[in-house]
Amino acid sequence: VAPLFDLSHPENPLARQNFTNVDMAALCNHIVESRVSTATQKNQSIKVRLLSAECYIEGIDSLLTSLVSNLVDNAIKYCGDVCEIKLRLGFDNQDLILSVDDSGEGLSSDMRSKVTERFYRASGSSATGAGLGLSIVKTIADIHSATMELTRSELGGLCVCIRIPQANRRSDLLPIAPA
């Protein structure tokens, strides 16, 4: 975890040097496919909805894999049995939007403001963990100059939305102005 937090400092030139083209659609599909059996065992439905055909950005592949894995794993772990999980991916005004929604109990607004703190554990939670998952997600989002917002999901549970700015979008995929 320490090297991850070292990378998150804006002055660290290594963070941007390690950026490569990342196919976020393939990354998200792979992670969800690898978690389907775990979700199915809990009677959960898990789906990916791609809102854009091309979802390439500049980023650190291993960290973005950890970000998506943490979000999907948290949804599976905390939303409870017999629930729905949706991962959506697409562009909005050139920013990449990644959201993971679930139909679980969700979190109060007070809890949503605390769960990104390192080692924070919700009181009364029976799930195991160190309280680092969303803190790691927040740090990875920061490395990519992204924002992270936790809200009430349209499914009734928690929605975690990551907005990665257009500066990270591959330039060869930007729209071309009409002639």
PDB file of all heavy atoms in Angstrom, residues 156-173:
ATOM      1  N   GLY A 156     -31.153   1.716  -5.354  1.00  0.00           N
ATOM      2  CA  GLY A 156     -31.496   1.753  -3.933  1.00  0.00           C
ATOM      3  C   GLY A 156     -30.327   1.642  -2.988  1.00  0.00           C
ATOM      4  O   GLY A 156     -30.430   2.002  -1.825  1.00  0.00           O
ATOM      5  N   GLY A 157     -29.181   1.151  -3.455  1.00  0.00           N
ATOM      6  CA  GLY A 157     -28.011   0.979  -2.596  1.00  0.00           C
ATOM      7  C   GLY A 157     -27.013   2.105  -2.784  1.00  0.00           C
ATOM      8  O   GLY A 157     -27.362   3.280  -2.790  1.00  0.00           O
ATOM      9  N   LEU A 158     -25.768   1.722  -2.965  1.00  0.00           N
ATOM     10  CA  LEU A 158     -24.681   2.680  -3.119  1.00  0.00           C
ATOM     11  C   LEU A 158     -24.294   2.795  -4.588  1.00  0.00           C
ATOM     12  O   LEU A 158     -24.276   1.806  -5.323  1.00  0.00           O
ATOM     13  CB  LEU A 158     -23.460   2.213  -2.303  1.00  0.00           C
ATOM     14  CG  LEU A 158     -22.230   3.112  -2.336  1.00  0.00           C
ATOM     15  CD1 LEU A 158     -22.526   4.467  -1.673  1.00  0.00           C
ATOM     16  CD2 LEU A 158     -21.048   2.438  -1.640  1.00  0.00           C
ATOM     17  N   CYS A 159     -23.956   4.005  -5.004  1.00  0.00           N
ATOM     18  CA  CYS A 159     -23.379   4.251  -6.316  1.00  0.00           C
ATOM     19  C   CYS A 159     -22.030   4.921  -6.095  1.00  0.00           C
ATOM     20  O   CYS A 159     -21.938   5.935  -5.408  1.00  0.00           O
ATOM     21  CB  CYS A 159     -24.257   5.170  -7.159  1.00  0.00           C
ATOM     22  SG  CYS A 159     -23.482   5.650  -8.726  1.00  0.00           S
ATOM     23  N   VAL A 160     -20.966   4.316  -6.641  1.00  0.00           N
ATOM     24  CA  VAL A 160     -19.645   4.940  -6.623  1.00  0.00           C
ATOM     25  C   VAL A 160     -19.348   5.341  -8.058  1.00  0.00           C
ATOM     26  O   VAL A 160     -19.341   4.499  -8.959  1.00  0.00           O
ATOM     27  CB  VAL A 160     -18.553   3.984  -6.089  1.00  0.00           C
ATOM     28  CG1 VAL A 160     -17.204   4.690  -6.066  1.00  0.00           C
ATOM     29  CG2 VAL A 160     -18.911   3.466  -4.704  1.00  0.00           C
ATOM     30  N   CYS A 161     -19.137   6.632  -8.259  1.00  0.00           N
ATOM     31  CA  CYS A 161     -18.912   7.168  -9.595  1.00  0.00           C
ATOM     32  C   CYS A 161     -17.516   7.787  -9.665  1.00  0.00           C
ATOM     33  O   CYS A 161     -17.167   8.640  -8.844  1.00  0.00           O
ATOM     34  CB  CYS A 161     -19.973   8.218  -9.923  1.00  0.00           C
ATOM     35  SG  CYS A 161     -19.820   8.886 -11.588  1.00  0.00           S
ATOM     36  N   ILE A 162     -16.738   7.325 -10.634  1.00  0.00           N
ATOM     37  CA  ILE A 162     -15.393   7.848 -10.876  1.00  0.00           C
ATOM     38  C   ILE A 162     -15.435   8.618 -12.191  1.00  0.00           C
ATOM     39  O   ILE A 162     -15.889   8.096 -13.210  1.00  0.00           O
ATOM     40  CB  ILE A 162     -14.357   6.697 -10.994  1.00  0.00           C
ATOM     41  CG1 ILE A 162     -14.419   5.755  -9.793  1.00  0.00           C
ATOM     42  CG2 ILE A 162     -12.955   7.250 -11.223  1.00  0.00           C
ATOM     43  CD1 ILE A 162     -13.976   6.336  -8.484  1.00  0.00           C
ATOM     44  N   ARG A 163     -14.974   9.863 -12.165  1.00  0.00           N
ATOM     45  CA  ARG A 163     -14.931  10.705 -13.376  1.00  0.00           C
ATOM     46  C   ARG A 163     -13.459  10.994 -13.675  1.00  0.00           C
ATOM     47  O   ARG A 163     -12.802  11.705 -12.929  1.00  0.00           O
ATOM     48  CB  ARG A 163     -15.700  11.994 -13.167  1.00  0.00           C
ATOM     49  CG  ARG A 163     -15.659  12.927 -14.384  1.00  0.00           C
ATOM     50  CD  ARG A 163     -16.437  14.216 -14.145  1.00  0.00           C
ATOM     51  NE  ARG A 163     -17.866  13.985 -14.193  1.00  0.00           N
ATOM     52  CZ  ARG A 163     -18.614  14.099 -15.295  1.00  0.00           C
ATOM     53  NH1 ARG A 163     -18.059  14.445 -16.434  1.00  0.00           N
ATOM     54  NH2 ARG A 163     -19.902  13.879 -15.246  1.00  0.00           N
ATOM     55  N   ILE A 164     -12.980  10.404 -14.782  1.00  0.00           N
ATOM     56  CA  ILE A 164     -11.593  10.602 -15.198  1.00  0.00           C
ATOM     57  C   ILE A 164     -11.591  11.679 -16.271  1.00  0.00           C
ATOM     58  O   ILE A 164     -12.267  11.551 -17.288  1.00  0.00           O
ATOM     59  CB  ILE A 164     -10.970   9.291 -15.710  1.00  0.00           C
ATOM     60  CG1 ILE A 164     -11.031   8.225 -14.601  1.00  0.00           C
ATOM     61  CG2 ILE A 164      -9.527   9.515 -16.159  1.00  0.00           C
ATOM     62  CD1 ILE A 164     -10.561   6.846 -15.008  1.00  0.00           C
ATOM     63  N   PRO A 165     -10.837  12.757 -16.058  1.00  0.00           N
ATOM     64  CA  PRO A 165     -10.925  13.912 -16.957  1.00  0.00           C
ATOM     65  C   PRO A 165     -10.414  13.638 -18.358  1.00  0.00           C
ATOM     66  O   PRO A 165      -9.625  12.731 -18.597  1.00  0.00           O
ATOM     67  CB  PRO A 165     -10.068  14.968 -16.258  1.00  0.00           C
ATOM     68  CG  PRO A 165      -9.113  14.198 -15.427  1.00  0.00           C
ATOM     69  CD  PRO A 165      -9.831  12.946 -15.018  1.00  0.00           C
ATOM     70  N   GLN A 166     -10.863  14.512 -19.277  1.00  0.00           N
ATOM     71  CA  GLN A 166     -10.531  14.370 -20.684  1.00  0.00           C
ATOM     72  C   GLN A 166      -9.032  14.411 -20.937  1.00  0.00           C
ATOM     73  O   GLN A 166      -8.567  13.878 -21.940  1.00  0.00           O
ATOM     74  CB  GLN A 166     -11.232  15.432 -21.519  1.00  0.00           C
ATOM     75  CG  GLN A 166     -10.785  16.846 -21.218  1.00  0.00           C
ATOM     76  CD  GLN A 166     -11.526  17.855 -22.054  1.00  0.00           C
ATOM     77  OE1 GLN A 166     -12.368  17.506 -22.866  1.00  0.00           O
ATOM     78  NE2 GLN A 166     -11.218  19.115 -21.867  1.00  0.00           N
ATOM     79  N   ALA A 167      -8.257  14.987 -20.050  1.00  0.00           N
ATOM     80  CA  ALA A 167      -6.804  15.030 -20.241  1.00  0.00           C
ATOM     81  C   ALA A 167      -6.231  13.614 -20.326  1.00  0.00           C
ATOM     82  O   ALA A 167      -5.177  13.404 -20.911  1.00  0.00           O
ATOM     83  CB  ALA A 167      -6.139  15.791 -19.097  1.00  0.00           C
ATOM     84  N   ASN A 168      -6.936  12.645 -19.771  1.00  0.00           N
ATOM     85  CA  ASN A 168      -6.462  11.255 -19.795  1.00  0.00           C
ATOM     86  C   ASN A 168      -7.021  10.479 -20.979  1.00  0.00           C
ATOM     87  O   ASN A 168      -6.681   9.320 -21.148  1.00  0.00           O
ATOM     88  CB  ASN A 168      -6.866  10.531 -18.507  1.00  0.00           C
ATOM     89  CG  ASN A 168      -6.095  11.021 -17.316  1.00  0.00           C
ATOM     90  OD1 ASN A 168      -5.486  12.082 -17.345  1.00  0.00           O
ATOM     91  ND2 ASN A 168      -6.125  10.276 -16.243  1.00  0.00           N
ATOM     92  N   ARG A 169      -7.884  11.097 -21.770  1.00  0.00           N
ATOM     93  CA  ARG A 169      -8.470  10.389 -22.911  1.00  0.00           C
ATOM     94  C   ARG A 169      -7.474  10.364 -24.051  1.00  0.00           C
ATOM     95  O   ARG A 169      -6.797  11.352 -24.329  1.00  0.00           O
ATOM     96  CB  ARG A 169      -9.745  11.086 -23.374  1.00  0.00           C
ATOM     97  CG  ARG A 169     -10.452  10.277 -24.440  1.00  0.00           C
ATOM     98  CD  ARG A 169     -11.881  10.662 -24.585  1.00  0.00           C
ATOM     99  NE  ARG A 169     -12.496   9.806 -25.590  1.00  0.00           N
ATOM    100  CZ  ARG A 169     -13.590  10.103 -26.208  1.00  0.00           C
ATOM    101  NH1 ARG A 169     -14.220  11.211 -25.931  1.00  0.00           N
ATOM    102  NH2 ARG A 169     -14.095   9.288 -27.106  1.00  0.00           N
ATOM    103  N   ARG A 170      -7.379   9.214 -24.706  1.00  0.00           N
ATOM    104  CA  ARG A 170      -6.461   9.093 -25.837  1.00  0.00           C
ATOM    105  C   ARG A 170      -6.815  10.118 -26.897  1.00  0.00           C
ATOM    106  O   ARG A 170      -7.957  10.206 -27.338  1.00  0.00           O
ATOM    107  CB  ARG A 170      -6.558   7.698 -26.442  1.00  0.00           C
ATOM    108  CG  ARG A 170      -5.589   6.744 -25.858  1.00  0.00           C
ATOM    109  CD  ARG A 170      -5.587   5.410 -26.515  1.00  0.00           C
ATOM    110  NE  ARG A 170      -5.833   5.420 -27.950  1.00  0.00           N
ATOM    111  CZ  ARG A 170      -5.998   4.317 -28.654  1.00  0.00           C
ATOM    112  NH1 ARG A 170      -5.939   3.140 -28.073  1.00  0.00           N
ATOM    113  NH2 ARG A 170      -6.218   4.363 -29.935  1.00  0.00           N
ATOM    114  N   SER A 171      -5.832  10.891 -27.335  1.00  0.00           N
ATOM    115  CA  SER A 171      -6.094  11.982 -28.279  1.00  0.00           C
ATOM    116  C   SER A 171      -6.591  11.480 -29.628  1.00  0.00           C
ATOM    117  O   SER A 171      -7.338  12.181 -30.309  1.00  0.00           O
ATOM    118  CB  SER A 171      -4.838  12.830 -28.469  1.00  0.00           C
ATOM    119  OG  SER A 171      -3.788  12.023 -28.954  1.00  0.00           O
ATOM    120  N   ASP A 172      -6.204  10.264 -30.041  1.00  0.00           N
ATOM    121  CA  ASP A 172      -6.653   9.775 -31.340  1.00  0.00           C
ATOM    122  C   ASP A 172      -8.121   9.361 -31.348  1.00  0.00           C
ATOM    123  O   ASP A 172      -8.673   9.028 -32.374  1.00  0.00           O
ATOM    124  CB  ASP A 172      -5.777   8.628 -31.823  1.00  0.00           C
ATOM    125  CG  ASP A 172      -5.781   7.430 -30.888  1.00  0.00           C
ATOM    126  OD1 ASP A 172      -5.913   7.629 -29.673  1.00  0.00           O
ATOM    127  OD2 ASP A 172      -5.667   6.295 -31.377  1.00  0.00           O
ATOM    128  N   LEU A 173      -8.777   9.401 -30.178  1.00  0.00           N
ATOM    129  CA  LEU A 173     -10.185   9.043 -30.119  1.00  0.00           C
ATOM    130  C   LEU A 173     -11.089  10.256 -29.916  1.00  0.00           C
ATOM    131  O   LEU A 173     -12.283  10.123 -29.816  1.00  0.00           O
ATOM    132  CB  LEU A 173     -10.436   8.037 -28.984  1.00  0.00           C
ATOM    133  CG  LEU A 173      -9.742   6.692 -29.171  1.00  0.00           C
ATOM    134  CD1 LEU A 173      -9.980   5.821 -27.938  1.00  0.00           C
ATOM    135  CD2 LEU A 173     -10.256   5.986 -30.412  1.00  0.00           C
TER     136      LEU A 173
END
